[in-house]
């Protein structure tokens, strides 16, 4: 099993990796299918199903799909150009993606939110269609956004592409037990094994540049969030709080009477800064998803700014270790809130961050696995019930608490010798089973929990 660091961490846009990035990626793939087709196309249509329909407006799924069909992709997204394109599409009812003729597309009538018909492959399903001059559908494709910005066609999902292993790598572990066994036999750390796997699929130079860019985008997102105030979009009138908290923390810095627990506020404010940016549709890095994008950057920033002896030279090891744990979770369970609730998003992110922090603070592979297990175990059963379908309440604060749990888990693991009662593999399997048992109203549909017990006005 191999999932690259650049699979787990992808540069994209908010507010959701599965509901915003995924549909945009799916639309881009559909355009490529059209370019490779011998047919002459005249128009486009689409439908959103399951969670993409129920919380699609709050997650800007319609906007992402429209922009994707106009040729936008997450990695190079430009908000000013996107706004101009949306205005033009609303006025002309057409899109003009590169390499294709101008196509009729009226978002109000040609993109349907289908609340009644779930697609069988995954809770996040969508259908894209291209029509001829008579309006008949001549190309149709079902896509599933399976979490973290990963997208599969219905054929790819049926063929098992979600668990495809790809070309051989030096350390092909599929479980935490295998990972620890390989670390013990090779004498390598988890990060060293993961780096060897990455290099086997690419080259050392591109990996170093790519990982440096990931942290740059993460840290830039934190900085933007710490400097920006105001009200988040979406209608709930949720005020940004990160800037105010950060300003207060900076004013208190150096005071002799600051309580020790104030360090929790630093962890929280870094995470909240990211998730406020995500809620506003800003540029973030999936870690492993947008809804959980603040946890890992917050813990890494905490390490760099607040831990004595921290070094930027350890950033790669942090990301590598975190990606190794995230890959195990995705391969053996899920990182999708629509599939398994928020335990699969913030829980996975907290486990990844705990493992990364434990590793850069000198933890053994056994301690790293223990840190990840502690963090994941204490998110088991967490539901995904965003108020009004927006990635704001409870998501923003939840990332802050996920970061605090990650640091606590790493600290507890470092106080031990790596021996513990519950293996990480058992926690991952429990999360998978819990996700299967969880009612769909608690899995990113906004049909239960806080979403129905908090007035949406």
């Amino acid at each position: 099993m191999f999932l690259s660091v650049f699979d787990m961490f992808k540069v994209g846009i908010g507010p959701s990796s599965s509901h915003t990035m995924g549909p945009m990626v799916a639309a881009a793939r559909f355009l490529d299918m059209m370019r490779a087709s011998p047919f002459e196309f005249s128009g486009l249509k689409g439908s959103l199903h399951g969670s993409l329909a129920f919380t699609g407006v709050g997650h800007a799924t319609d906007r992402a799909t429209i922009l994707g069909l106009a040729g936008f992709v997450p990695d190079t997204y430009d908000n000013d150009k996107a706004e101009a394109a949306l205005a033009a599409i609303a006025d002309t009812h057409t899109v003009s993606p590169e390499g294709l003729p101008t196509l009729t597309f009226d978002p109000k009538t040609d993109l349907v939110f289908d609340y009644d018909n779930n697609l069988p492959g995954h809770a996040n399903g969508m259908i894209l269609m291209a029509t001829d001059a008579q309006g008949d559908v001549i190309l149709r494709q079902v896509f599933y956004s399976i979490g973290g910005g990963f997208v599969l066609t219905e054929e790819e999902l049926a063929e098992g592409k979600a668990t495809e292993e790809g070309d051989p790598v030096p350390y092909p572990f599929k479980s935490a037990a295998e990972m620890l066994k390989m670390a013990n036999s090779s004498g390598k750390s988890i990060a060293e094994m993961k780096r060897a796997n990455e290099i086997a699929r690419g080259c050392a130079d591109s990996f170093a540049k790519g990982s440096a860019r990931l942290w740059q985008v993460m840290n830039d997102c934190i900085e933007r969030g710490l400097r920006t105030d105001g009200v988040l979009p979406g209608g709930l009138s949720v005020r940004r709080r990160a800037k105010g908290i950060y300003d207060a923390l900076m004013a208190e810095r150096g005071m002799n009477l600051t309580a020790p627990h104030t360090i929790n506020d630093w962890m929280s404010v870094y995470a909240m800064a990211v998730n406020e940016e995500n809620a506003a549709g800003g540029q973030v890095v999936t870690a492993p998803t947008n809804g959980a994008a603040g946890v890992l950057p917050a813990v890494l920033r905490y390490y760099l700014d607040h831990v004595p002896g921290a070094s930027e030279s350890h950033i790669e090891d942090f990301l590598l270790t975190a990606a190794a744990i995230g890959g195990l979770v995705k391969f053996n369970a899920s990182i999708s809130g629509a599939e398994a609730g928020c335990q699969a998003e913030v829980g996975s992110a907290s486990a990844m961050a705990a493992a990364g922090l434990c590793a850069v603070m000198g933890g053994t592979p056994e301690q790293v696995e223990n840190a990840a297990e502690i963090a994941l175990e204490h998110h088991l059963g967490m539901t995904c019930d965003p108020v009004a379908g927006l990635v704001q309440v409870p998501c923003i604060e939840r990332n802050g608490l996920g970061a605090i749990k990650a640091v606590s888990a790493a600290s507890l693991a470092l106080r031990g010798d790596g021996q513990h009662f519950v293996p990480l593999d058992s926690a991952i399997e429990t999360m998978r089973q819990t996700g299967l048992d969880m009612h769909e109203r608690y899995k990113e549909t906004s049909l239960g929990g806080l979403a129905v017990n908090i007035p949406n006005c």
Side-chain angles (χ1 to χ4, degrees):
M1 187 278 298
F2 175 79
L3 281 169
S4 172
V5 167
F6 306 110
D7 291 326
M8 296 308 302
F9 305 122
K10 294 188 282 290
V11 177
I13 57 168
S16 172
S17 48
S18 57
H19 289 63
T20 313
M21 288 177 60
M24 189 177 286
V25 170
R29 291 191 60 183
F30 190 67
L31 293 180
D32 285 339
M33 293 174 61
M34 293 173 66
R35 294 183 185 105
S37 171
F39 298 125
E40 292 187 7
F41 301 104
S42 181
L44 292 167
K45 296 180 181 293
S47 58
L48 305 172
H49 301 258
S51 180
L52 292 187
F54 283 110
T55 62
V57 174
H59 286 81
T61 304
D62 48 349
R63 172 190 169 96
T65 304
I66 296 163
L67 289 172
L69 292 173
F72 286 78
V73 293
D75 191 50
T76 58
Y77 177 82
D78 183 295
N79 190 64
D80 291 338
K81 291 180 180 178
E83 290 297 332
L86 287 170
I89 294 167
D91 182 51
T92 66
H93 298 165
T94 63
V95 292
S96 300
E98 184 177 352
L100 290 167
T102 297
L103 303 163
T104 60
F105 179 67
D106 183 354
K108 291 183 178 180
T109 57
D110 292 329
L111 184 60
V112 176
F113 285 79
D114 190 334
Y115 302 102
D116 299 319
N117 300 294
N118 290 348
L119 300 179
H122 191 277
N124 293 329
M126 61 190 298
I127 302 173
L128 295 177
M129 296 164 281
T131 60
D132 60 14
Q134 287 72 46
D136 295 326
V137 175
I138 53 176
L139 183 65
R140 178 185 183 275
Q141 183 62 62
V142 175
F143 291 98
Y144 293 108
S145 180
I146 62 173
F150 292 88
V151 172
L152 295 174
T153 65
E154 62 177 340
E155 294 82 9
E156 290 169 342
L157 191 67
E159 292 168 5
K161 293 285 186 180
T163 55
E164 188 177 74
E165 297 180 33
D167 296 331
V169 292
Y171 301 98
F173 49 84
K174 299 180 184 178
S175 67
E178 289 181 1
M179 178 182 72
L180 292 179
K181 184 177 180 180
M182 287 183 180
N184 183 60
S185 62
S186 68
K188 293 182 180 294
S189 68
I190 294 170
E192 287 171 335
M193 294 191 298
K194 184 67 174 168
R195 182 180 283 105
N197 289 347
E198 294 283 345
I199 292 173
R201 293 288 184 90
C203 71
D205 184 55
S206 63
F207 174 76
K209 290 179 180 177
S211 58
R213 184 187 179 226
L214 288 175
W215 171 239
Q216 185 67 56
V217 174
M218 288 180 182
N219 200 42
D220 287 348
C221 186
I222 292 175
E223 289 298 323
R224 288 195 308 275
L226 295 177
R227 294 194 305 267
T228 308
D229 56 14
V231 177
L232 293 171
L236 289 182
S237 299
V238 172
R239 295 195 63 83
R240 287 179 180 249
R241 289 184 290 159
K243 183 181 185 299
I245 295 171
Y246 178 71
D247 290 345
L249 287 169
M250 290 299 292
E252 295 169 5
R253 216 168 192 182
M255 295 175 61
N256 292 331
L257 298 180
T258 301
H261 65 251
T262 300
I263 193 62
N264 290 336
D265 298 339
W266 282 99
M267 298 176 213
S268 291
V269 79
Y270 295 145
M272 291 170 67
V274 172
N275 284 87
E276 287 176 355
E277 280 295 293
N278 178 63
Q283 186 180 60
V284 298
V285 175
T286 63
T289 66
N290 282 32
V295 177
L296 188 142
V299 174
L300 184 46
R301 178 70 176 262
Y302 159 78
Y303 164 73
L304 292 171
D305 285 6
H306 301 275
V307 175
S311 171
E312 291 188 358
S313 65
H314 293 153
I315 291 173
E316 271 192 26
D317 283 352
F318 190 108
L319 295 175
L320 285 161
T321 306
I325 299 302
L328 291 177
V329 176
K330 185 180 187 304
F331 186 79
N332 294 298
S334 176
I335 59 170
S336 168
E339 192 170 28
C342 199
Q343 59 173 357
E345 295 204 35
V346 171
S348 299
S350 189
M352 293 164 65
L357 180 61
C358 186
V360 299
M361 292 186 68
T364 64
E366 289 78 13
Q367 289 172 317
V368 169
E369 184 261 0
N370 187 15
E373 184 280 323
I374 293 171
L376 183 59
E377 178 183 340
H378 297 290
H379 283 89
L380 291 176
M382 182 174 280
T383 60
C384 182
D385 51 354
V387 176
L390 299 169
V391 191
Q392 298 179 16
V393 180
C395 319
I396 294 171
E397 284 182 356
R398 188 169 285 176
N399 275 256
L401 273 292
I404 292 170
K405 284 187 181 182
V407 174
S408 296
S411 183
L412 284 173
L414 287 165
R415 295 290 183 183
D417 61 4
Q419 301 302 308
H420 56 106
F421 189 78
V422 179
L424 175 58
D425 289 328
S426 295
I428 292 173
E429 174 58 17
T430 302
M431 191 259 275
R432 186 190 70 82
Q433 293 176 6
T434 304
L436 289 174
D437 292 339
M438 191 180 290
H439 195 284
E440 68 174 11
R441 69 167 60 100
Y442 299 113
K443 295 193 284 190
E444 211 166 0
T445 59
S446 291
L447 296 175
L450 283 175
V452 299
N453 287 302
I454 300 295
N456 294 342
C457 59

